[in-house]
Amino acid sequence: MALGKVIAAALLAFPATATARAALCGSATATSANTEVFVTAQQRSSGPAVVTDIATEAFSADRTVSMGVYYDPAETGLGPPNIPKITWHMALPDPTAAEPERLTWRIGEGPWTGPRFTSKPERRWGDPARNEGYLSGIVPPAGIAPLQAAIAESTPVTVRRLSAGGRVLAEGNVQYPPASKVQALYAKARASALANLKPCRPGLSIPPAKR
């Protein structure tokens, strides 16, 4: 993904056993405007094919900021959302020249929050010629529930990229889409993943690719 961009297909890794060799894996990404839903699925031996992972990501209009979350698979579709993630996407021609930064955000007109420690932007996995980097904001424990509520209620979130000294380097806005849109994308990605199961590739795991 981003999803399509991050975190993008992932191949599930299994031990090299007879059962594992018989396993089938599938993945698919469904995209609409600035939202992506990524699904992985597997089928073991004679058992039914099941969804194993669901990840979604919503982007700002210019795709510099994203807000993503993983869901627990459920029989009726999307289960409860897990820990959300805020990410800033950027060009990063020379990772060694990157300076420490941090992200801060606020939900609606609420207070600014985010991690207090800094980290350097990292290079995106994939083709080095694309010069793609990112900086993720680790959500503090106290901030998880508010962001989950913002995702559920489609509340706008303003994100700032700050220097180590607190100077604002850039600002962007992201809004998670309504649940009906996410459910529709999930259904599309799920159907595609289950319809395109192939033998799993043991020992290999590929993160979501960036566009």
Side-chain angles (χ1 to χ4, degrees):
M1 249 183 275
L3 283 171
K5 281 173 70 174
V6 162
I7 272 178
L11 297 176
L12 300 178
F14 292 95
T17 64
T19 300
R21 286 194 296 271
L24 300 177
C25 296
S27 65
T29 300
T31 304
S32 176
N34 293 322
T35 304
E36 298 177 357
V37 176
F38 175 71
V39 171
T40 63
Q42 73 175 46
Q43 183 176 23
R44 297 238 186 186
S45 300
S46 59
V50 296
V51 170
T52 53
D53 291 286
I54 307 166
T56 68
E57 198 156 13
F59 296 85
S60 58
D62 60 3
R63 299 184 77 83
T64 58
V65 184
S66 68
M67 181 165 58
V69 66
Y70 285 86
Y71 288 88
D72 292 325
E75 291 184 7
T76 56
L78 297 175
N82 289 317
I83 298 174
K85 180 180 66 173
I86 301 289
T87 304
W88 196 285
H89 308 276
M90 68 199 75
L92 192 64
D94 183 7
T96 63
E99 297 290 334
E101 302 176 10
R102 68 183 178 93
L103 299 181
T104 185
W105 56 84
R106 67 175 180 178
I107 300 170
E109 297 300 319
W112 291 96
T113 187
R116 297 190 179 278
F117 59 87
T118 61
S119 59
K120 291 185 177 182
E122 299 180 39
R123 195 68 168 274
R124 183 74 61 187
W125 181 92
D127 183 359
R130 300 179 77 167
N131 297 332
E132 294 179 341
Y134 69 96
L135 180 68
S136 292
I138 304 300
V139 181
I144 293 175
L147 272 180
Q148 288 174 329
I151 288 171
E153 299 166 7
S154 297
T155 306
V157 177
T158 303
V159 183
R160 284 179 176 173
R161 182 178 162 195
L162 305 179
S163 68
R167 180 169 59 91
V168 177
L169 302 175
E171 181 174 301
N173 297 279
V174 61
Q175 185 173 8
Y176 205 75
S180 58
K181 180 176 181 179
V182 177
Q183 287 281 4
L185 289 174
Y186 165 69
K188 182 177 180 181
R190 177 182 181 279
S192 180
L194 294 177
N196 293 282
L197 295 172
K198 298 178 180 180
C200 301
R201 299 175 61 183
L204 177 62
S205 180
I206 299 178
K210 300 295 291 182
R211 279 204 289 251

